[in-house]
Amino acid sequence: MRWIGQNMKRVEDPRLLTGRGKYIDDMAVPNMAHAAVLRSPYAHARIVAIDVSRARALPGVLLVLTGAEAAEQTGPLPCFSNPPTAQYCIATDRVRHVGEAVVAVVAESRYIAEDAIDLIDVEYEPLPVVVNPEDALTSSGDAVLHPERGPNNIALQRKLTFGSYDEDMQRADVIVRRKARWPRSGAQPMETVGAIASYDEGTGKFTVYANTSMYNYVGWLMAVSLNVSASKLNLIPTIAGGSFGSKLFAHKVPVLAATLARACGRPVKYLEDRLDNMMSSDNHGSDRIYDLELGLKRDGTMLAFGMRVIDDYGAYLQFGVGHHGNAAAQLTGPYRINSAQIDLTAVFTNKCQQGAYRGFGSEVNNFVLERIVDAAADELGLDPVEIRRKNFIQPEQFPYKIPTGNVYDSGNYEAVLDKALEMADYTSWRAQQAELRKQGRYIGIGLVSCQERSVFSSTEFWFWNHEPGFALTSSPESVNLRIDPTGKAFVTLYAPFWGNSPETMATQIVAEQLTIDPADIEVTYADTDQGLLGTGPGGSRYTVMIAGAIGGAAVELKQKLFKIAGHLLEASEHDLELREGRVNVRGTDRGMSIPEIAMQAYYFRLNLPADVNSGLDARFTYDHPYTTQPSADRTDLGVFYPIMGHMCHIPIVEVDIETGRIEYLKYVAVHDCGTVVNPMTLAGHVRGGTAQGIGSAMYEHFYYNEQGQLVTANFADYLIPTLKEVPPNIEVGHVETKSPFTEYGIKGGGEGGRMGVPPALAAAIEDALRPFGVKVDGLPITPMKIRELIRAAQQPAG
């Protein structure tokens, strides 16, 4: 292949790195007004009265809108849970978390709007606050967040058993048990969520610029919220200053801006400030408490893996419990485990609701599975490398069906492990560790073998529901591929740029398909008025999906090129080949360049074959390459995430036992993402994801106090690692095991770094502190936490 597999600088970068990218806050439309939002200071309260008279009297204020007033025209926001959980863009009668919108103001400037916010008086009746997810299990009375759903705060409770779980546990020689705690954190893109909305009273149509994704997939649900038909809402994508999942389907801000635009008769811009985003973004990550068990034979053979998990979803349930569907895609990791069980209880608490964050819950499964595998190695006296190697699915066993019903397409886990061990110089470091420990230095070596599922099927959105609800099964991606009269190629994508490299990927794949120079390719993004189905980035799917869509469109386009060229060259189409931008008669120099054929196609209709129309373009919608329905009783969830990447991370750290500080001595990350399209950008994904995983593992935490106040709502308290807190050199290696189900054998790799770091660092720190008997079962492992663990371990027993 000429272009796929080559390092190529991102085609997105010149405009972004020179400050010429147009983000939502760079944009303006004529006569545009600005909005600000008054947010609840209470975690849980009834709204008794609102006095907006002083705000409305402030010069420059155009509109003050309460939730009750907004609800007269705008309905509940989109929700994928069943039964749905009603949530409005402005709270109507009750607030359920600190930061929930209570009143919106539109003014001539954001400054005036913010000043008007300070003039609004709200009377609240405080209600009991639920913060601890375990307390949510027994909530009653006024502590229940959604009384219309039932008498308690349990959002969903369900136990799923896959295979002969009880029998496997009975025949196990050892059952290793461990508790684990994964705390709430979230993506922190440089740009928050924003929208500019206009409403044309003459046509009754909204035009909304927004930095959301999935707008060509389920964007019409925003029209439903606005009580208009989908044809009356045109969503126009803007580039996004990062997402990491958080803008997967950002719907609340666009609906709010559109509601305000309709109410005040002027275009309205609303952009969350950082406090808005951290308190009410709707994209906090998973927040789980686990009881885990792993049944094994005494020789280390794994038999069954089970968990009881409580997941704190916060105040609402926009995506249902899809995060656990995601985790179930790779529940048993890379191991031959015969059976499994998940006992899930999802609860409501007075916190910002969960959304999508790089991994969508499966990164948590990696953490708990690898933690209990390490615990098993300790308990059985086995080497952490060998217990993994012993249980790996073997290359000849693919495609491999895991107990949940999902199928892994391909893999060579031992090859990844061996490459990582070699790159890390593992054996030598084990020897050094022993010597340095004699000198009083605490060196730790972590090692994990984790999965990265990619290319989701939409069945995961609903198969946990007792009643499926809207049981969709499509998650396609589309492209339009056009060659203009001068021979230049134009690719239209139906999903946005949100920090990944869609233009680079599309350029490399089109260059490969049409054998043309990347400089002759332009990439654009379609709005919903022009849109084909496009599910967009998320779940490490986009490169795989647009490769399939481009491949399909290119087939149609090449058929037309061959038909025209064969006609003009008086040659059989079967004797033609496409090479270096020319259609030639195979084995000769006789042929036509793509620009020559294009000129004929556009302007010389009478020269074309009778059954060929003018123009050169093709559009193609590529469906998920391999998915099946779940069984009715959910003992088999079907195939829903079969394109399975894999990774091995090995951090080597030194722990200062006096301060709890860690220093990275080496960090190796080896990934298998199938065929690598661009090694340079993939390595960037892995390194960036690793840095983000370090944040999740070591520092970041949305911490709520007993009153439900988010006390880490700014970057002084919510600690994101800087360059000084990440390894100076993250060594990245690749192993390529092609997928048999995708174009070129590509697998997803966008989330990989973050999905391996937390268990790897936990293992490294636990290994360093082995002389103290410290166990790391929860995150973040801050320096203070490390000191607490050491002090606790040093206390006399009893």
Side-chain angles (χ1 to χ4, degrees), residues 3 8 11 487-490 507-508 511 516-523:
W3 298 106
M8 191 174 105
V11 299
K488 306 298 183 187
F490 290 76
T507 298
Q508 288 189 255
I516 61 178
D517 193 291
D520 291 332
I521 299 169
E522 287 288 328
V523 181

Side-chain angles (χ1 to χ4, degrees), residues 133 180-184 285-291 307-313 321-328 344-345 354 359-368 777:
R181 181 74 171 94
W182 180 280
R184 176 175 296 244
S286 299
D287 191 349
R288 301 180 183 175
I289 301 170
Y290 283 92
D291 286 289
M307 62 179 66
R308 186 173 69 85
V309 53
I310 301 170
D311 199 340
D312 179 352
Y313 271 85
V321 298
H323 308 74
H324 289 274
N326 207 292
L344 167 66
T345 303
Q354 278 193 34
F360 204 72
S362 56
E363 81 282 20
V364 190
N365 191 76
N366 282 351
F367 175 74
V368 298
D777 296 321

Side-chain angles (χ1 to χ4, degrees), residues 13-75:
D13 280 349
R15 73 178 189 277
L16 300 179
L17 297 181
T18 57
R20 292 179 172 84
K22 295 290 185 185
Y23 297 92
I24 189 68
D25 203 31
D26 296 320
M27 302 180 64
V29 299
N31 204 30
M32 185 177 78
H34 300 263
V37 173
L38 174 67
R39 298 190 176 277
S40 170
Y42 289 93
H44 198 194
R46 289 192 181 93
I47 300 172
V48 177
I50 302 176
D51 183 352
V52 299
S53 56
R54 292 192 299 148
R56 282 183 172 144
L58 185 70
V61 169
L62 304 170
L63 174 73
V64 181
L65 198 69
T66 66
E69 292 166 340
E72 292 175 5
Q73 292 201 18
T74 298

